[in-house]
Amino acid sequence: MGELKNIAEIKNKPLRKEKVLCFGEGNFLRAFTAVVVQKLNDNAGFDGNVVMLQGVEKGMCDVINAQKGLYTVIERGAENGKAVERFSVIDSVSRCVNPYEDYCSFLAIAENPDLEFVVSNTTEFGICYDESEKACRNMYRNFPAKFTDFLFRRYKHFSGDISKGLVVLPCELIKHNGKKLKEYILRYAKEWKCEQGFVDWIESAVVFADTLVDRIVSGYPKAEAEQLCEKMGYTDNLPDVCEPFFLWVIETSDKRIKNIPFDKCGLDIIVTDDLQPYRTRKVRILNGAHTMSVLAGHLCGFETVEQLVKDKTFAKYFRAGIFGEIIPSFTGDNLEKYADEVIGRFFNPFLNHKLLSIALNSVSKFKARVLPSIKDYAEKFDKAPNALSFSLAALYAFYKTAGDKVSDEQSYLNEIAATGNISAFMKNKNLWGEDLTGITGFQKAVVAHDKAITEKGVKKALEELVND
């Protein structure tokens, strides 16, 4: 076989209007939002493209643009009881803009009259308020501040035209992500002393919907990239591996969401007045299972989620945490069935879902995904959940010994280094926003697990926990 050409050399790319802006250009958005837009184009006549915004200083912008926004999404796993492997060329990304190098090009997107909706995925850590982001800067780094600047440019350019409002669909896994993002944007508008007309325009023209996303995306298949390119018949520096499962729940009653033909794109997209049951189930069970296990798994020498669920000790740990503590902590429909499906998805041998990629922003993830189950369980049963308590001790051990492997968490490392012991760590309000030692039985359980990990190692301590 001769030398393969790059995807950008052999695939045609339709010219479409840029109707979607993505804050972020990582694996998830490329295997989720861009796929939605691709389906809207293919099945619903949407005729729109995505312009992506690089989320961190060292991102994928140059690689995306070098391939003219073209790349392959590879869906692998089980679907309706049958193994599937689907290769889909995504041509719905027009370009990627790096605001750290060209902030003016980012703001220029606000002047696009065709823009309809905005999606973000800045992790649970991204939707936050940074008081240092003052008015009249040349550029902003904080996501809500950056978006406020963007919206103000759009408001001014279109002279407050209500018809140039946007539908905003945040994908961050925090409760009330749309409402929280809007709250911070209005706060910046007030702090920056923006004119009242801008605030009124946000209230009347911009829809901030709470959303929930559910799709496991493992990203670039490094170990088999060359073989996959041979199989596809072209080279691709951005192949993105994900599971076939797809769910997007959007909470809004605003009629403008109906301008986007989600119901015709062929994906499981639910528009509802109440996404809370979906969110609680997904965040606590699927995301909670990840967060409770991956740091301990890494410390035991594992690299992927599949390896964890195939290990006898971790298999017991998963079930003890999910079925013994997470599910009993809240109420909902078909929780055991959903949990069984989740564990089945974790067994997917094709995803190669790296533990360290899930480990990013573990403190904020723990607060959003695991801590609510711990608090509800303790309140309901008047004792701390044992397996979930172990997960906090493992988190502490990870940051003490391996936290430098997660490059975006220096602030966490500094806070943890400043604590002398695990009790001080639990009391650190800079990390948790509260004193965790006030949860019934939690401090005693975590201190005991920390002692076991220190004396025996994570694997032995975990074996004793699940076999007790």
Side-chain angles (χ1 to χ4, degrees):
M1 181 180 290
E3 185 175 346
L4 297 176
K5 293 185 177 181
N6 184 264
I7 186 173
E9 299 178 88
I10 65 172
K11 299 293 183 181
N12 294 322
K13 185 173 179 181
L15 292 175
R16 306 187 186 101
K17 299 174 181 178
E18 288 183 342
K19 295 185 178 182
V20 184
L21 170 63
C22 276
F23 279 85
E25 86 296 2
N27 294 325
F28 179 80
L29 285 176
R30 287 188 288 110
F32 194 88
T33 306
V35 169
V36 171
V37 177
Q38 187 74 38
K39 294 288 188 180
L40 289 172
N41 289 330
D42 295 343
N43 303 331
F46 183 64
D47 190 30
N49 273 346
V50 181
V51 53
M52 290 188 155
L53 193 70
Q54 183 167 298
V56 294
E57 289 192 58
K58 295 180 180 180
M60 301 297 295
C61 195
D62 290 343
V63 183
I64 291 171
N65 289 333
Q67 290 193 173
K68 302 176 183 178
L70 293 161
Y71 62 96
T72 312
V73 165
I74 305 169
E75 294 178 272
R76 289 170 145 185
E79 191 173 68
N80 300 321
K82 297 181 180 180
V84 298
E85 183 180 57
R86 284 194 291 263
F87 297 81
S88 301
V89 173
I90 303 301
D91 61 26
S92 61
V93 175
S94 58
R95 60 191 170 117
C96 185
V97 173
N98 182 352
Y100 300 94
E101 295 182 355
D102 190 357
Y103 196 77
C104 290
S105 290
F106 156 60
L107 288 181
I109 300 168
E111 300 178 1
N112 174 9
D114 299 311
L115 196 64
E116 293 187 17
F117 68 101
V118 177
V119 181
S120 66
N121 183 37
T122 56
T123 80
E124 291 90 332
F125 194 64
I127 298 183
C128 62
Y129 190 83
D130 184 349
E131 293 182 352
S132 69
E133 296 279 39
K134 304 299 183 182
C136 301
R137 285 194 168 182
N138 292 327
M139 71 166 289
Y140 297 91
R141 293 177 177 271
N142 169 274
F143 163 48
K146 190 181 299 177
F147 195 21
T148 305
D149 198 22
F150 178 91
L151 289 172
F152 188 71
R153 170 68 72 92
R154 187 169 182 85
Y155 161 77
K156 295 294 285 186
H157 181 76
F158 292 109
S159 302
D161 186 348
I162 297 297
S163 70
K164 298 306 178 185
L166 300 168
V167 174
V168 182
L169 305 171
C171 294
E172 291 82 359
L173 288 174
I174 64 171
K175 192 173 183 179
H176 303 312
N177 46 20
K179 294 182 182 68
K180 187 63 68 174
L181 178 57
K182 180 180 179 180
E183 174 191 333
Y184 291 147
I185 286 172
L186 290 174
R187 184 175 172 186
Y188 278 120
K190 180 180 179 181
E191 293 292 327
W192 296 350
K193 295 181 169 55
C194 295
E195 59 197 75
Q196 183 60 40
F198 175 53
V199 174
D200 295 340
W201 182 78
I202 290 175
E203 293 284 8
S204 59
V206 184
V207 179
F208 291 87
D210 292 341
T211 84
L212 173 76
V213 296
D214 195 352
R215 170 171 260 194
I216 297 173
V217 178
S218 58
Y220 183 72
K222 182 178 180 180
E224 52 178 331
E226 186 175 339
Q227 297 94 315
L228 286 171
C229 287
E230 291 284 347
K231 193 172 186 177
M232 295 184 295
Y234 53 82
T235 63
D236 183 351
N237 296 314
L238 291 165
D240 203 358
V241 177
C242 63
E243 64 177 341
F245 185 91
F246 182 101
L247 177 65
W248 198 3
V249 185
I250 301 170
E251 180 184 285
T252 182
S253 56
D254 196 291
K255 295 180 180 179
R256 281 169 288 187
I257 197 74
K258 294 183 179 179
N259 293 333
I260 307 169
F262 287 135
D263 58 326
K264 297 179 181 178
C265 74
L267 294 169
D268 194 2
I269 301 176
I270 299 170
V271 179
T272 178
D273 291 334
D274 183 14
L275 66 68
Q276 192 55 42
Y278 299 95
R279 182 190 183 279
T280 302
R281 185 183 69 175
K282 189 259 181 178
V283 171
R284 292 207 186 188
I285 296 177
L286 188 150
N287 300 115
H290 273 158
T291 301
M292 68 172 271
S293 61
V294 296
L295 301 183
H298 174 78
L299 293 174
C300 289
F302 295 105
E303 295 184 357
T304 68
V305 173
E306 183 196 4
Q307 291 172 348
L308 286 191
V309 292
K310 287 184 175 179
D311 178 81
K312 290 182 179 179
T313 299
F314 273 91
K316 290 181 180 179
Y317 180 56
F318 271 115
R319 299 196 72 84
I322 296 172
F323 292 94
E325 296 174 359
I326 295 174
I327 289 177
S329 74
F330 71 107
T331 58
D333 296 329
N334 301 315
L335 298 182
E336 289 80 6
K337 180 177 181 293
Y338 177 76
D340 283 330
E341 291 173 348
V342 163
I343 292 175
R345 290 162 67 189
F346 288 172
F347 271 104
N348 188 336
F350 299 114
L351 285 176
N352 195 32
H353 205 179
K354 299 291 187 181
L355 302 184
L356 282 181
S357 68
I358 302 171
L360 293 172
N361 295 313
S362 283
V363 170
S364 56
K365 286 177 177 176
F366 192 93
K367 286 192 289 185
R369 302 174 175 189
V370 181
L371 190 55
S373 294
I374 291 172
K375 294 167 75 172
D376 287 348
Y377 184 96
E379 182 176 353
K380 187 174 181 178
F381 297 103
D382 199 32
K383 63 179 181 179
N386 199 30
L388 297 184
S389 297
F390 183 90
S391 71
L392 183 63
L395 185 152
Y396 182 62
F398 173 85
Y399 278 109
K400 286 198 303 181
T401 60
D404 58 350
K405 295 183 179 181
V406 188
S407 60
D408 65 342
E409 305 211 351
Q410 190 60 46
S411 61
Y412 294 158
L413 291 170
N414 293 340
E415 289 289 345
I416 291 167
T419 64
N421 54 60
I422 199 160
S423 292
F425 169 66
M426 294 177 71
K427 293 177 181 179
N428 190 322
K429 293 183 180 180
N430 288 333
L431 287 171
W432 306 113
E434 61 180 296
D435 182 349
L436 300 187
T437 62
I439 301 171
T440 302
F442 192 36
Q443 181 181 13
K444 181 178 179 181
V446 174
V447 168
H449 289 310
D450 177 62
K451 184 174 185 293
I453 289 172
T454 301
E455 295 177 352
K456 305 172 185 178
V458 176
K459 189 64 182 287
K460 183 64 176 177
L462 188 59
E463 287 174 351
E464 292 182 356
L465 183 154
V466 298
N467 293 317
D468 186 4

